[in-house]
Amino acid sequence: MRAMSLAEIETPKLLLDLGRLDANLARMEARADALGVALRPHMKTAKSVDVARRAGAGAITVSTLREAEYFAAAGFTDILYAVGIAPVKLPHAARLRQSGVDLTLTLDSVEAADAATAVSRALGQPLPFLIEIDSDGHRAGVAAHSDQLLKIAARLDPAWTPLRGVMTHAGESYNLRGDEALAAMAEQERAAAVLAAERLRAVGHAAPVVSVGSTPTALNARKLTGVTELRAGVYMMFDLVMAAIGVCGFADIALSVLTTVIGRQDAKGWIIVDAGWMALSRDKGAARADFDPGYGLVCDEAGAILEGLTMIGANQEHGIIGRRDDMPPEPGAFPIGRRLRILPNHACATAAQHQAYHVLDAGGAVTAVWPRMNGW
Amino acid sequence: MRAMSLAEIETPKLLLDLGRLDANLARMEARADALGVALRPHMKTAKSVDVARRAGAGAITVSTLREAEYFAAAGFTDILYAVGIAPVKLPHAARLRQSGVDLTLTLDSVEAADAATAVSRALGQPLPFLIEIDSDGHRAGVAAHSDQLLKIAARLDPAWTPLRGVMTHAGESYNLRGDEALAAMAEQERAAAVLAAERLRAVGHAAPVVSVGSTPTALNARKLTGVTELRAGVYMMFDLVMAAIGVCGFADIALSVLTTVIGRQDAKGWIIVDAGWMALSRDKGAARADFDPGYGLVCDEAGAILEGLTMIGANQEHGIIGRRDDMPPEPGAFPIGRRLRILPNHACATAAQHQAYHVLDAGGAVTAVWPRMNGW
């Protein structure tokens, strides 16, 4: 396509800064290399074949079977579906494996193991599994030291539901701040996964795969001894949540939403723009006691942060920008039609509101439109 | 398509109860008839041609130009785009009008009026406008009694940017509760729009259109004297926000998200399901001091509310269901694979996470899949 200037683009649109994306990808690759583990990027944030290719990704992680199907169609065939499998999805998973995808599934209960073994046998299609370990009390998984772990492994059938190993995700890292706390959580994540694998091996399971990861722990782990692969996704884009945790700066955030001033309420110091929660999502996850960016931080068209401005309100297609310090913006600086960019709280949530990335080159022109997939 | 049982459907999926939809549509039609105004349904919630046809909609309201294009392609040609126009979108609006769509635009400033007049003249395509009135201090619009109103009208060119009248939306009604407060807000909305139209007529503008509406005010207006048309959208589906405001019951909510139990943390009383914020949105707008449904109220597969259960947490593809009263759910009642349905906080936001409605007939079978549009 011909390069387009931002001034030509109807708003709201999702912008992806290619230079920042590349730097973020390189940073995580260097981390994985330094830690001596394979990187299995999680595509749940980007949901884009173009981004996956840019990442040079071989093996990938996905959050839905539709993602698996989408990436498989583009030639990615080593895929981990990192959400506990619902029995109703087992035939779909089997079809993907039959089509040549080396899909690995996840579970954390005897009930799920029994369901999977019954279905794989009935369909004549083996379904390999990782057992999910709960390393942080955040969500799913069994404790690494639990009897449950060995019971699940015993119920998996080597012929039909081969056990490939263990995986864990320290999502609780999103509630921490600072290198020390994150390094401690990374060690907790590593230790839980390695302990679980060792306990499985002690009773005769090979359990070759030990898979860990979240962006904050991946970027702060001091060592990953015993781990075989690292998963992370949001690091490709970064966002205000990651900046609040301290694993990136605002200048690393590769995603922004391009918007246009469509009105003002000068008496209140409000600037009304055409990016509301539909374009930004309802996620306000970056709010902290000492810093609340509302629905997003406001930048000029070139991406420079406009100090003190924040999106204080959002309706479906209207955003309300105000000042955090209650000093109203200078109306003359925000004429109707001015372009602004909003840095998102949560890249996964904001990107999911859009159907494509408008890709910005180093000169600030849009040189490509990369589609993304959504839905189930 | 052949009728499918819910048990066959991979989750998460968005369900639309046809009987409830029809009852909700009929209720608003009866309101508009009783109030003696035309109904111009807002398609921003449903974003579906099938729903618009079910509503028997002629004239419609949209929230994006892409919606206008989508509905125009299906034969809906009387369309109000009810968000203040960004200058960059004027050529797109002109193309839609050139293609035969009677598109009306909205603005609330002299700057936007000047931009629109310049573009419509340059393109040789008249662009008719409503002036947006601020009836509640909620968002956009000029005050009905302001000098600004007459200045904007004076800047519109009868040949190129004909003034069709005024519109207002009392979005502040979402922060009220109970019939009396909503009836008062409906009167405030009506009075502001009618005053603005009368002031315009007093200085020689015809201003035939007086357009008002929000679901809560539309359902509680005692009279709409002087109003010509009523706009509302979320009434088609209803949601927990509308139930909290008091304009519907839980049993009127036509949308739900079908999900599957994929795990449990019995020690914590958690049920893990495969609908997270990606399927439900991050919207928690129904939370009140005396009632907080979290990410949604939990129903059984048939749609009956399971008392006391609520979605207390949501990650991207994981929902965590717990009890509001801290009594843990009975694990045996929630085996892996059990189907549940979640009533959403905000129908517009939840529906936007999906690409289709799975339409439920009176027998609880899925008899149609209605696509919806998203994006800009």
Side-chain angles (χ1 to χ4, degrees):
Chain A
M1 60 178 273
R2 76 175 173 87
M4 287 190 295
S5 79
L6 291 184
E8 297 174 71
I9 293 172
E10 278 187 54
T11 49
K13 284 289 185 308
L14 184 65
L15 303 181
L16 173 55
D17 183 310
L18 198 55
R20 293 183 183 189
L21 171 70
D22 285 344
N24 296 339
L25 294 173
R27 180 178 168 200
M28 190 61 86
E29 282 158 29
R31 288 288 306 162
D33 286 349
L35 291 161
V37 294
L39 183 60
R40 183 186 282 277
H42 204 318
M43 299 314 303
K44 79 185 187 82
T45 309
K47 296 206 182 200
S48 152
V49 164
D50 298 286
V51 173
R53 290 192 180 130
R54 194 90 186 173
I60 61 170
T61 313
V62 299
S63 65
T64 69
L65 288 184
R66 188 156 169 185
E67 263 174 77
E69 209 158 60
Y70 164 83
F71 284 103
F76 296 86
T77 55
D78 181 352
I79 302 179
L80 170 63
Y81 170 46
V83 175
I85 188 81
V88 71
K89 297 172 188 164
L90 289 163
H92 188 175
R95 286 196 303 276
L96 279 164
R97 284 197 61 83
Q98 269 149 2
S99 75
V101 181
D102 185 8
L103 179 69
T104 304
L105 304 175
T106 306
L107 53 66
D108 68 356
S109 68
V110 166
E111 288 166 70
D114 289 349
T117 303
V119 169
S120 69
R121 226 179 243 148
L123 297 175
Q125 174 61 55
L127 296 170
F129 276 93
L130 302 182
I131 298 177
E132 182 162 7
I133 308 303
D134 182 7
S135 56
D136 62 349
H138 183 69
R139 171 169 95 190
V142 293
H145 54 75
S146 66
D147 294 342
Q148 207 59 20
L149 172 68
L150 302 182
K151 281 184 192 155
I152 296 166
R155 292 293 261 274
L156 291 171
D157 182 322
W160 294 109
T161 46
L163 175 61
R164 287 193 165 169
V166 297
M167 61 83 77
T168 192
H169 164 65
E172 195 63 22
S173 62
Y174 280 50
N175 297 323
L176 303 175
R177 287 183 89 155
D179 295 357
E180 286 307 314
L182 291 170
M185 181 56 80
E187 175 53 19
Q188 182 177 321
E189 185 182 43
R190 183 201 72 82
V194 171
L195 170 62
E198 284 170 352
R199 291 186 65 221
L200 291 169
R201 289 168 192 154
V203 296
H205 302 284
V209 176
V210 181
S211 178
V212 306
S214 75
T215 287
T217 52
L219 291 173
N220 285 278
R222 305 269 159 87
K223 64 174 168 63
L224 286 180
T225 314
V227 166
T228 64
E229 69 177 28
L230 190 59
R231 307 183 322 279
V234 76
Y235 73 92
M236 300 182 194
M237 308 299 181
F238 284 129
D239 54 27
L240 296 174
V241 169
M242 290 294 123
I245 293 170
V247 296
C248 72
F250 296 147
D252 299 315
I253 300 175
L255 279 189
S256 59
V257 173
L258 183 69
T259 187
T260 304
V261 176
I262 57 169
R264 288 190 313 275
Q265 296 287 11
D266 292 333
K268 296 179 199 167
W270 288 359
I271 302 158
I272 314 280
V273 295
D274 68 355
W277 60 252
M278 187 65 87
L280 286 160
S281 92
R282 273 284 194 199
D283 203 304
K284 297 180 76 176
R288 295 290 187 280
D290 57 343
F291 178 69
D292 180 358
Y295 286 95
L297 282 187
V298 182
C299 303
D300 67 14
E301 182 174 320
I305 290 176
L306 297 173
E307 286 301 331
L309 291 182
T310 187
M311 190 173 285
I312 57 175
N315 295 158
Q316 185 161 337
E317 297 289 345
H318 295 79
I320 301 177
I321 291 173
R323 282 196 74 97
R324 289 202 302 277
D325 54 13
D326 293 330
M327 275 184 45
E330 178 56 49
F334 296 95
I336 309 295
R338 180 172 177 187
R339 301 314 188 82
L340 299 169
R341 283 162 64 178
I342 313 295
L343 296 180
N345 280 289
H346 186 175
C348 311
T350 299
Q353 303 298 107
H354 296 262
Q355 298 174 322
Y357 299 98
H358 280 60
V359 181
L360 283 176
D361 71 6
V366 172
T367 51
V369 177
W370 289 352
R372 43 169 289 134
M373 58 81 58
N374 287 309
W376 299 268
Chain B
M1 61 177 274
R2 76 174 174 86
M4 290 190 294
S5 79
L6 291 184
E8 298 174 71
I9 292 173
E10 280 188 51
T11 47
K13 284 289 184 307
L14 184 64
L15 304 181
L16 172 56
D17 183 310
L18 198 55
R20 293 183 182 190
L21 172 69
D22 285 345
N24 296 340
L25 294 174
R27 180 178 168 201
M28 189 63 85
E29 282 158 29
R31 287 289 304 162
D33 285 349
L35 291 161
V37 294
L39 182 60
R40 182 186 282 277
H42 204 318
M43 299 314 303
K44 81 188 188 79
T45 309
K47 295 203 182 202
S48 154
V49 164
D50 297 285
V51 173
R53 289 193 180 128
R54 194 88 184 173
I60 61 170
T61 313
V62 300
S63 66
T64 70
L65 288 184
R66 189 158 169 182
E67 264 174 77
E69 209 157 60
Y70 164 83
F71 284 103
F76 295 87
T77 55
D78 181 353
I79 301 180
L80 170 63
Y81 170 45
V83 176
I85 189 82
V88 71
K89 296 173 188 164
L90 289 163
H92 189 175
R95 286 197 303 277
L96 279 164
R97 284 198 59 86
Q98 267 149 5
S99 76
V101 182
D102 186 9
L103 180 69
T104 304
L105 304 175
T106 305
L107 52 68
D108 69 356
S109 68
V110 166
E111 288 166 70
D114 288 349
T117 302
V119 169
S120 69
R121 225 178 244 152
L123 297 175
Q125 175 60 55
L127 296 170
F129 276 91
L130 301 183
I131 298 177
E132 182 164 6
I133 306 304
D134 181 7
S135 56
D136 62 348
H138 184 70
R139 173 169 95 188
V142 292
H145 54 74
S146 66
D147 293 342
Q148 207 58 19
L149 172 68
L150 302 182
K151 281 185 192 154
I152 296 166
R155 292 294 262 271
L156 291 171
D157 181 323
W160 294 109
T161 46
L163 175 61
R164 287 193 165 169
V166 296
M167 61 84 76
T168 192
H169 164 65
E172 196 64 22
S173 62
Y174 280 50
N175 297 322
L176 303 176
R177 286 185 90 156
D179 295 356
E180 285 307 314
L182 292 170
M185 181 58 79
E187 174 54 19
Q188 183 177 321
E189 186 182 41
R190 183 201 72 81
V194 171
L195 170 61
E198 285 170 352
R199 290 186 65 220
L200 291 169
R201 289 170 191 154
V203 296
H205 302 284
V209 176
V210 181
S211 177
V212 305
S214 76
T215 287
T217 51
L219 291 173
N220 284 279
R222 305 270 158 87
K223 64 174 167 63
L224 286 180
T225 314
V227 166
T228 63
E229 69 177 26
L230 189 59
R231 307 182 323 277
V234 76
Y235 72 93
M236 300 181 195
M237 308 299 182
F238 283 128
D239 54 28
L240 295 173
V241 168
M242 289 296 122
I245 293 171
V247 296
C248 71
F250 296 147
D252 298 316
I253 299 175
L255 280 189
S256 60
V257 173
L258 183 70
T259 187
T260 304
V261 176
I262 59 169
R264 287 190 313 275
Q265 296 288 12
D266 291 334
K268 296 179 199 168
W270 289 357
I271 302 158
I272 314 278
V273 295
D274 68 355
W277 59 252
M278 188 65 87
L280 286 159
S281 91
R282 274 284 193 200
D283 203 302
K284 298 179 76 176
R288 296 289 187 280
D290 57 342
F291 178 69
D292 181 357
Y295 286 95
L297 282 188
V298 182
C299 304
D300 67 14
E301 182 174 321
I305 290 176
L306 297 172
E307 286 301 330
L309 290 182
T310 187
M311 190 172 285
I312 58 174
N315 296 157
Q316 186 161 337
E317 298 289 345
H318 295 78
I320 302 177
I321 290 173
R323 281 196 73 97
R324 289 202 302 274
D325 53 13
D326 293 330
M327 275 183 46
E330 180 56 49
F334 296 95
I336 309 294
R338 180 174 175 186
R339 300 314 187 83
L340 298 170
R341 283 161 66 178
I342 314 295
L343 296 181
N345 279 290
H346 187 174
C348 310
T350 300
Q353 303 298 108
H354 296 263
Q355 298 174 321
Y357 299 97
H358 280 59
V359 181
L360 284 176
D361 70 6
V366 172
T367 50
V369 177
W370 289 351
R372 42 169 289 135
M373 59 80 59
N374 286 309
W376 298 269

